[in-house]
Amino acid sequence: MRSAAFARPRHRPAGPRPAVAQTAVLGTGLAAGAGVAVAHSPYLEHPAVHGVLYGALIAAMTTVACVALYRGIERRLWLVLLTLALYSATALDTLAAPGLDALGQIAWAAVLVVAVYILLSFPEGRLPDQVAAVGDVLAVASWSLTAGALIAVAVALTFRMRTAPAIGRRTTSPILVSVLAVGATFAAAAVARAGGAAPATLERLGWFSTATSLTIPCAFLAGMLGARVFAGGALERLVARLSAGARDLDARRVLADALGDPSLTVAFWRPQRREYVDAGGHPVQPPAGATGRSTTIVRQDGDPLAMIVHDPALDAEPGLVGAAGGAALMMLENARLEADLRASVADLRASRARLASAADAGRREIERNLHDGAQQRLVALRMRLADAEAQVVSDDELRRSLGELGADTEETIDELRSLAHGVYPAVLVDHGLASALASVAGRSPLPVRVETALPGRFAPAIEAAVYFCCLEAIQNAAKHAGVGATVTVSVRAHAGRVAFEIRDDGVGFDVHDVHDVHGGHGLTNLNDRVAAVGGDVHVASGHGAGTTVRGDVPATT
């Protein structure tokens, strides 16, 4: 921006003959160049014809300009040359190159402004007083609009700084100050010209505008230097934090504090699954480009180690985030191993859940086959034996034998029904956890009291896990609690979880020697069944103190 923007420039006339020669040479070259460019346009139906017309028009403009310069009607050589150059540049609009096409559009806008000025100032070479007054109004409006636009930019920068990280505030602050200074200068110039200030005042404002405009590139330089200084301080803070030797460092928090970006997150690479996971082991997808986030991949020996997702403002200092990740390489490696372990635990839990679900499905299938197949056939056999027994009236021995076979069949049906119920009880599917546990209590050889406080039904996997855990504990009590022992079963829902407890007052056992005492894997089955749905189970017992099995599972899967 030049100071002459606010003061009327002084022109010195050029000699006519050199000006005519320069205009003729330049106009001829521009006419030829523009004609050739238009003649090769891929957009026009007859490009050669359009090229000839374009060249002829520029040649005609050149002829008129030479005559005006020679006769002294027009002495402003710069205006003539500018007009010819701008109109010739509009030929770029017909080319296929995107960059040149844009320049052609800009040239069209500029040549229209120049054409309006030439038409209004011909032949005196200056604008009439009325037009000059309009020009003053337009100048005031233009400077006011520029000042308003700069103030709007300053407001936008202020709002951006409120949410920007520390490095963003350091790089933006000098630019904000510079934009405010230039905007204030334009506002002052608009007020001065609207108030009819003297030309000397406008000229001084022009020089001041030039000085404030120089602060814009200086502000960008200051912002880049500020980012550089911040980067050095960030790495120094990070190294100091790592040198403290604490073992329980949170990788995300350490990097976020050092880089001044609270929104920073860290994901860790799992080479087995070829995916990123967060600190909890959950899969993480890299952010898309439209989310306004930047990513930096930290590598170790050429392989991905971690992905740091951060504010794009940190990119103002290239390599800063990567350098911070490299400095924290050991911490990130430890955090990656922890995240990988958590993800493996989650995979194991999911695998257990799939196995438990498959086992339950197998149990239900066996229960249906026993009920619909063998049990129905035995019932039919029992009915046929009863019919045969009723028909035998003369042979008492045969009749007694048929009666014994019928009784044996009844016992077999009862045993088969009990077996089917133990494999997967239909009452659990049809009526829920409370009814199924009451049914178990009724069949147990020990007295069992069942206490439930449940709001309703739960997912089948949850109900099956609690049911079989309680069943296993009741069966263990029946085997090992001793004569006269009693069992209390309590199941309650609270705070999004289902808690259960099976307590007996039997002889108890040493939980550290459980396999020797019980000779089986019942407690292991308890742990596997409950862990498959994300729950926990604990066993407490002692000689003469009875046994308590206590656990809980999520109310939802």
Side-chain angles (χ1 to χ4, degrees):
M1 184 183 303
R2 301 185 308 166
S3 59
F6 301 115
R8 188 185 301 265
R10 300 179 178 86
H11 305 290
R12 294 182 179 179
R17 291 187 178 180
V20 170
Q22 295 173 12
T23 303
V25 172
L26 179 64
T28 303
L30 292 176
V36 172
V38 174
H40 288 82
S41 173
Y43 303 127
L44 302 176
E45 185 175 357
H46 302 289
V49 176
H50 284 277
V52 171
L53 293 176
Y54 232 92
L57 180 56
I58 296 175
M61 293 172 61
T62 302
T63 302
V64 172
C66 290
V67 172
L69 289 171
Y70 184 78
R71 297 189 59 188
I73 298 175
E74 177 61 63
R75 293 187 177 90
R76 294 168 296 183
L77 177 61
W78 65 271
L79 181 60
V80 172
L81 299 182
L82 177 63
T83 305
L84 292 175
L86 286 176
Y87 190 79
S88 301
T90 60
L92 299 175
D93 185 30
T94 63
L95 301 181
L100 296 179
D101 177 70
L103 290 177
Q105 296 288 344
I106 295 173
W108 271 116
V111 79
L112 288 176
V113 175
V114 175
V116 169
Y117 176 77
I118 292 175
L119 291 173
L120 293 176
S121 63
F122 186 82
E124 291 86 356
R126 63 181 182 85
L127 293 175
D129 293 339
Q130 298 83 353
V131 177
V134 173
D136 290 339
V137 173
L138 292 177
V140 171
S142 174
W143 297 342
S144 300
L145 182 63
T146 302
L150 290 174
I151 293 174
V153 170
V155 172
L157 291 176
T158 302
F159 278 105
R160 182 194 299 177
M161 289 176 59
R162 293 179 61 184
T163 58
I167 190 172
R169 293 192 293 272
R170 288 206 179 192
T171 55
T172 307
S173 297
I175 299 175
L176 175 61
V177 174
S178 177
V179 167
L180 288 174
V182 177
T185 302
F186 271 94
V191 172
R193 186 150 186 175
T201 302
L202 294 177
E203 185 173 1
R204 284 193 293 271
L205 283 173
W207 285 112
F208 188 71
S209 172
T210 302
T212 55
S213 298
L214 288 175
T215 63
I216 293 181
C218 295
F220 279 96
L221 180 60
M224 289 186 288
L225 292 177
R228 188 69 174 175
V229 172
F230 175 85
L235 294 177
E236 183 179 354
R237 290 191 298 272
L238 177 61
V239 172
R241 183 77 176 273
L242 296 175
S243 300
R247 296 185 178 181
D248 57 345
L249 292 178
D250 182 353
R252 191 210 70 82
R253 181 176 299 175
V254 169
L255 290 173
D257 291 344
L259 298 176
D261 181 11
S263 67
L264 181 145
T265 60
V266 181
F268 306 96
W269 178 249
R270 292 191 71 198
Q272 304 90 342
R273 293 291 188 90
R274 302 193 63 79
E275 65 179 5
Y276 286 100
V277 297
D278 60 15
H282 305 103
V284 173
Q285 294 295 330
T291 59
R293 305 288 290 166
S294 292
T295 59
T296 298
I297 305 299
V298 180
R299 299 181 180 273
Q300 185 179 36
D301 299 330
D303 298 323
L305 175 65
M307 176 179 65
I308 303 176
V309 182
H310 54 87
D311 193 288
L314 291 174
D315 295 332
E317 183 57 32
L320 170 59
V321 180
L329 202 60
M330 183 176 297
M331 178 186 64
L332 290 175
E333 173 64 17
N334 292 336
R336 187 193 69 81
L337 293 175
E338 293 178 3
D340 189 51
L341 177 60
R342 293 188 181 95
S344 299
V345 171
D347 293 343
L348 177 60
R349 182 174 297 162
S351 177
R352 280 179 168 178
R354 290 192 296 270
L355 291 175
S357 178
D360 290 341
R363 286 172 177 266
R364 287 191 293 269
E365 182 68 20
I366 294 173
E367 191 273 336
R368 284 193 299 268
N369 291 338
L370 290 175
H371 181 273
D372 299 337
Q375 185 175 336
Q376 295 301 324
R377 293 177 62 184
L378 287 173
V379 170
L381 177 60
R382 177 68 185 91
M383 295 176 64
R384 291 175 61 187
L385 288 174
D387 291 341
E389 182 181 359
Q391 294 175 6
V392 176
V393 294
S394 58
D395 191 340
D396 293 337
E397 185 66 25
L398 178 59
R399 186 173 182 179
R400 186 170 55 256
S401 297
L402 290 175
E404 291 175 355
L405 286 175
D408 291 341
T409 303
E410 287 283 359
E411 292 179 3
T412 303
I413 292 173
D414 291 339
E415 291 178 0
L416 188 60
R417 185 180 294 113
S418 177
L419 175 62
H421 189 278
V423 171
Y424 201 94
V427 66
L428 178 62
V429 178
D430 297 335
H431 302 288
L433 189 56
S435 298
L437 291 177
S439 177
V440 171
R443 300 193 312 272
S444 174
L446 295 179
V448 178
R449 185 172 76 254
V450 178
E451 301 173 352
T452 59
L454 303 175
R457 300 294 301 271
F458 300 97
I462 297 298
E463 291 186 340
V466 176
Y467 171 81
F468 283 109
C469 190
C470 293
L471 177 64
E472 185 76 32
I474 292 172
Q475 290 175 346
N476 285 339
K479 294 177 183 178
H480 308 290
V483 180
T486 60
V487 180
T488 301
V489 178
S490 174
V491 182
R492 303 180 185 278
H494 177 69
R497 300 186 72 84
V498 179
F500 58 90
E501 181 182 87
I502 305 93
R503 185 176 65 255
D504 68 65
D505 55 1
V507 298
F509 61 93
D510 186 357
V511 293
H512 301 293
D513 198 22
V514 62
H515 290 294
D516 293 337
V517 174
H518 285 185
H521 301 282
L523 297 182
T524 302
N525 294 337
L526 293 181
N527 285 317
D528 291 343
R529 167 68 72 171
V530 173
V533 293
D536 296 307
V537 64
H538 304 281
V539 179
S541 185
H543 291 292
T547 302
T548 300
V549 178
R550 185 180 294 109
D552 67 343
V553 296
T556 58
T557 56

